[in-house]
C-alpha cells in the first residue's frame, strides 16, 4: 500500500452554508469569551514557527499549534468538553451561554437547581477526558465508553477526574452507538463529538468549543502579519478539521487558504468519501487499528462533511509511519527550532509535510518555496509508553 494516497475534492464549491455559519465571527468570539471566563483553566497555546524545518524541506514557513500545552489535559479537546458541557447546563437553566461565566456554572446555586447529572461520552481518550474534566468542574458525574485496546494512560487520566470508564470490545463507532442507546434509557446527558448518531445540537457545541484553538492560531498569525497558504487538518470524525476550516473560512473568505484532511489508511472515511465522488459521506468498517487512536473513526460527522465537502481541496490518507515520523521530527527539531511534544494523533501533519516535499505530489498540492503551512499538533504524549517507544526506540519506522 502506498505511504500517501491523495484524491482531489471534485465537489469543492466554496459555498457558505448553515454549517459554516456555526463558526461566524460573532459565534467564534462568543465561544472565545466563554473560554476566557475559565480563568487559570484556560490558556492560549503556543504557535511555534519551525523556520529551520521550513528551509530544510523547501517551503517558506511551517507553523505548528502546540496543544500539548492546553491546560493540564495536554489536548485541544479540553475546549470542546468545557464548552459542550457548559452549553448543556445552560440549556437546562434556560440561559444562553453568553449570559453566564464559568464560575457561575460551578456555583452551589447551579448545582442545587440541576441536582445530580451524569454526562456520558464515547471516546478513545481525549474527548472523554475533557467531558470528565468539565463534569467534575461543574460538580457532576461522568461516564466514558472507550474502544478495545485503549491504553492505561488514557483510562487513568479520566478516572483521576472522577470519571467512570467502561472499556468495551468495540471500536470507537461502536462506543458511540452504545452510549447513544444506554444514555436514552438511563437518562444520561450524552456529549458526543459527532452527529452521526448523537444529537446534532450537542455535536455542534463540541465543534464550536474547538473553534477557540483555530481562532487563537488565526490571531497569532495575524499579529505577525502572516497569511497561511495551506492548512493540513487531521480528521477522525472530522469535527476538529471542520471547526478549524469554519473559523478560517469566516475570517478569510473569499481568500481562504487551501485546506486538506489527513487520515490514517485504516480509518480514511473522508478519503473514501472523496474517492466515491457522489457528494455523500462514506464510512469505513473494520478494526480501524491505527496507532493514531484519536483518528481511528470510521463514520464522518455529517455536520463536518457539509463544511469539508465544500471547502477542502482534497483528502489525504497516510501510512502510520507518517504519524510516527512526525512525532520524531517534532521531538527532535533542527537546531534553532523549538521541540514540540506531539502524540500519535497530533503529529501526522508534520510527518506528512516532510514526506510530501520529497514527492511529486507536492506540485499537485501547490507546495513550494512560497508556501506558508499551518499544522495543528492536537495532543501531547497522552500515551506515555507508546510515545517513548516511538520517539526513543523508533517504533513504526516502516
Amino acid at each position: 500500500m502506498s505511504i500517501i494516497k491523495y484524491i482531489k475534492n471534485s465537489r469543492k464549491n466554496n459555498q457558505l452554508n448553515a454549517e459554516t455559519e456555526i463558526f461566524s465571527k460573532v459565534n467564534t468570539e462568543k465561544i472565545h469569551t466563554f473560554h476566557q471566563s475559565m480563568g487559570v483553566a484556560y490558556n492560549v497555546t503556543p504557535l511555534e514557527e519551525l523556520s529551520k524545518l521550513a528551509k530544510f524541506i523547501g517551503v517558506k514557513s511551517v507553523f505548528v499549534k502546540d496543544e500539548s500545552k492546553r491546560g493540564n489535559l495536554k489536548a485541544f479537546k479540553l475546549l470542546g468538553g468545557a464548552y459542550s458541557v457548559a452549553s448543556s447546563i445552560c440549556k437546562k437553566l434556560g440561559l444562553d451561554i453568553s449570559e453566564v461565566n464559568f464560575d457561575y456554572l460551578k456555583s452551589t446555586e447551579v448545582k442545587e437547581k440541576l441536582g445530580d447529572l451524569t454526562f456520558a461520552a464515547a471516546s478513545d481518550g481525549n474527548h472523554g477526558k475533557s467531558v470528565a474534566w468539565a463534569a467534575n468542574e461543574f460538580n457532576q458525574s461522568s461516564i466514558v465508553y472507550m474502544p478495545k485496546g485503549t491504553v492505561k494512560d488514557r483510562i487513568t487520566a479520566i478516572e483521576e477526574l472522577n470519571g467512570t470508564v467502561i472499556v468495551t470490545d468495540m471500536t470507537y463507532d461502536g462506543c458511540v452507538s452504545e452510549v447513544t442507546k444506554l444514555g436514552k434509557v438511563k437518562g444520561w446527558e450524552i456529549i458526543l463529538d459527532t452527529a452521526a448518531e448523537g444529537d446534532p445540537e450537542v455535536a455542534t457545541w463540541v465543534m464550536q468549543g474547538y473553534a477557540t484553538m483555530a481562532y487563537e492560531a488565526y490571531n497569532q498569525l495575524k499579529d505577525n502579519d502572516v497569511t497561511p497558504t495551506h492548512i493540513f487538518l487531521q480528521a477522525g470524525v472530522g469535527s476538529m478539521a471542520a471547526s478549524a476550516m469554519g473559523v478560517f473560512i469566516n475570517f478569510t473568505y473569499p481568500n481562504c487558504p487551501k485546506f486538506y484532511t489527513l487520515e490514517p489508511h485504516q480509518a480514511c472515511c473522508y478519503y473514501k468519501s472523496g474517492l466515491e465522488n457522489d457528494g455523500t459521506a462514506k464510512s469505513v468498517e473494520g478494526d480501524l487499528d491505527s496507532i493514531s487512536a484519536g483518528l481511528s473513526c470510521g463514520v464522518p460527522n455529517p455536520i463536518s462533511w457539509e463544511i469539508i465537502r465544500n471547502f477542502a481541496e482534497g483528502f489525504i490518507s497516510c501510512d502510520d509511519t507518517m504519524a510516527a515520523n512526525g512525532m520524531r521530527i517534532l521531538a527532535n527539531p533542527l537546531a534553532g527550532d523549538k521541540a514540540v511534544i506531539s502524540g500519535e494523533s497530533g503529529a501526522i501533519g508534520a510527518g506528512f509535510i516532510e514526506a510530501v516535499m520529497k514527492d511529486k505530489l507536492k506540485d499537485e498540492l501547490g507546495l513550494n518555496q512560497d508556501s506558508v503551512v499551518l499544522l495543528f499538533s492536537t495532543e501531547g504524549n497522552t500515551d506515555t509508553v507508546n510515545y517513548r517507544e516511538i520517539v526513543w526506540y523508533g517504533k513504526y519506522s516502516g
Side-chain angles (χ1 to χ4, degrees), residues 187-206:
W188 295 336
E189 306 301 319
I190 306 171
I191 307 292
L192 298 174
D193 61 352
T194 177
E197 292 191 46
D199 184 340
E201 183 178 39
V202 174
T204 296
W205 292 334
V206 176

Side-chain angles (χ1 to χ4, degrees), residues 22-36 42-47 65 67 70 76 79 207-223 226 228 231 233 240-252 374 376:
I22 291 168
F23 305 98
S24 68
K25 291 181 180 181
V26 170
N27 284 338
T28 296
E29 288 163 359
K30 179 176 81 169
I31 297 157
H32 185 228
T33 296
F34 172 77
H35 282 133
Q36 288 177 311
Y42 167 72
N43 64 294
V44 178
T45 56
L47 183 70
K65 184 72 165 154
E67 292 297 300
R70 181 67 67 187
F76 79 105
L79 301 168
M207 293 174 68
Q208 285 184 310
Y210 300 159
T212 287
M213 175 182 68
Y215 186 52
E216 289 176 4
Y218 169 79
N219 285 318
Q220 288 165 319
L221 291 168
K222 184 181 177 183
D223 289 345
V226 174
I231 303 181
L233 297 158
M240 184 283 288
S243 175
M245 281 189 194
V247 171
F248 274 88
I249 288 164
N250 276 282
F251 283 86
T252 66
L374 174 61
F376 290 86

Side-chain angles (χ1 to χ4, degrees), residues 25 39 49 76 93 111 125 131 154 203 206 214 227 247 276 311-312 319 324 360 362 372 377 386 394-395:
K25 291 181 180 181
E49 181 176 7
F76 79 105
L93 296 173
K111 173 66 175 180
V131 171
R154 293 179 177 134
V206 176
T227 301
V247 171
E276 295 294 334
F311 283 89
D319 186 85
K360 63 182 181 181
K362 70 178 185 296
V372 177
S377 177
N386 205 41
K395 188 178 180 181

Side-chain angles (χ1 to χ4, degrees), residues 143-168:
I143 186 166
V144 181
Y145 279 67
M146 307 187 78
K148 59 185 175 181
T150 298
V151 298
K152 184 178 180 181
D153 272 1
R154 293 179 177 134
I155 297 168
T156 301
I158 293 170
E159 291 177 336
E160 287 178 345
L161 294 165
N162 296 317
T164 298
V165 175
I166 307 295
V167 179
T168 72

Side-chain angles (χ1 to χ4, degrees), residues 261-272:
T261 61
L262 296 167
E263 301 169 284
H265 287 330
Q266 299 94 318
C268 56
C269 51
Y270 282 89
Y271 174 83
K272 183 178 179 181

Side-chain angles (χ1 to χ4, degrees), residues 122 170-182 184 190-203 237 283 298-303:
M170 297 176 282
T171 65
Y172 163 81
D173 300 303
C175 291
V176 168
S177 297
E178 188 73 0
V179 168
T180 301
K181 179 180 67 177
L182 290 176
K184 292 175 181 177
I190 306 171
I191 307 292
L192 298 174
D193 61 352
T194 177
E197 292 191 46
D199 184 340
E201 183 178 39
V202 174
V237 296
S283 300
V299 183
N301 179 359
I303 300 171

Side-chain angles (χ1 to χ4, degrees), residues 313-329:
E313 296 287 333
F315 311 102
I316 299 160
S317 176
C318 300
D319 186 85
D320 272 347
T321 55
M322 205 71 61
N325 287 342
M327 292 167 68
R328 290 185 278 266
I329 289 165

